Amino acid sequence: MAGNKTFTMIKPDAVSAGNTGAITKMIEEAGFRIVAIKKTQLSPEKAGEFYAVHKARPFYKDLCSYMSSGAIIPMILEKDNAVEDFRKLIGATDPTKAADGTIRKLFAKSIEANAIHGSDSDENAAIEGSFFFSNTERF
Ligand code: GDP
């Protein structure tokens, strides 16, 4: 059965463009409850750890420097069928391919600076959520 939690972070391009409020509003209006939220900045090393699965990809180094270039807003979100529904809300990785009305279509600048992250499985949602937060059960 699909779980009810997912993990997201608003990426540096969207935070620096002042889109945190608009994106958070879309997330809540789509029925997600914010369980945990903060503003922080990743070091290049921490960004590399978060995206370790992409280590062999040609864009890995650029991705790590982009993801550590400014503030991010990580969040744990709750909703039925959270992972799948949230991936639909954010749209395709490449904003030129993202469906109309999705967060990436509206706010992403490029395939790399694509405004927002969304976990791709229940297992990764749990791993990624605990990368940034602890003791969130009671929220
Ligand atoms: P996601 O699950 O939709 O975020 O996509 P992936 O897991 O495949 O990629 C992780 C992140 O790496 C994306 O969200 C982008 O920020 C970045 N990325 C993915 N593909 C490319 C690419 O072809 N070029 C560059 N520069 N960045 C990419």
Side-chain angles (χ1 to χ4, degrees):
M1 202 186 94
N4 67 349
K5 294 254 176 63
T6 192
F7 170 80
T8 184
M9 55 186 162
I10 303 177
K11 296 185 178 183
D13 61 295
V15 175
S16 66
N19 290 324
T20 299
I23 291 173
T24 307
K25 185 165 188 270
M26 279 183 73
I27 292 171
E28 288 191 311
E29 284 179 353
F32 292 87
R33 198 173 69 78
I34 297 172
V35 175
I37 181 169
K38 68 181 168 188
K39 189 171 195 176
T40 187
Q41 183 164 358
L42 290 167
S43 64
E45 294 71 29
K46 276 281 176 194
E49 219 180 288
F50 186 89
Y51 282 110
V53 64
H54 293 308
K55 216 167 200 155
R57 310 280 286 275
F59 57 84
Y60 178 70
K61 211 166 160 253
D62 282 348
L63 177 62
C64 295
S65 63
Y66 157 65
M67 283 303 299
S68 57
S69 67
I72 56 164
I73 314 274
M75 291 180 247
I76 294 174
L77 304 174
E78 185 178 73
K79 183 187 181 296
D80 286 349
N81 202 35
V83 166
E84 195 187 334
D85 286 0
F86 195 72
R87 296 281 296 188
K88 273 193 204 134
L89 180 66
I90 69 175
T93 309
D94 180 349
T96 65
K97 300 192 176 116
D100 283 347
T102 59
I103 293 175
R104 283 170 167 168
K105 181 72 171 195
L106 289 166
F107 298 107
K109 298 205 161 34
S110 68
I111 192 168
E112 178 178 86
N114 60 0
I116 192 156
H117 169 82
S119 301
D120 63 3
S121 67
D122 289 345
E123 190 193 359
N124 283 337
I127 293 168
E128 292 169 2
S130 54
F131 191 90
F132 288 96
F133 300 102
S134 54
N135 302 319
T136 59
E137 291 76 14
R138 70 203 149 98
F139 302 119

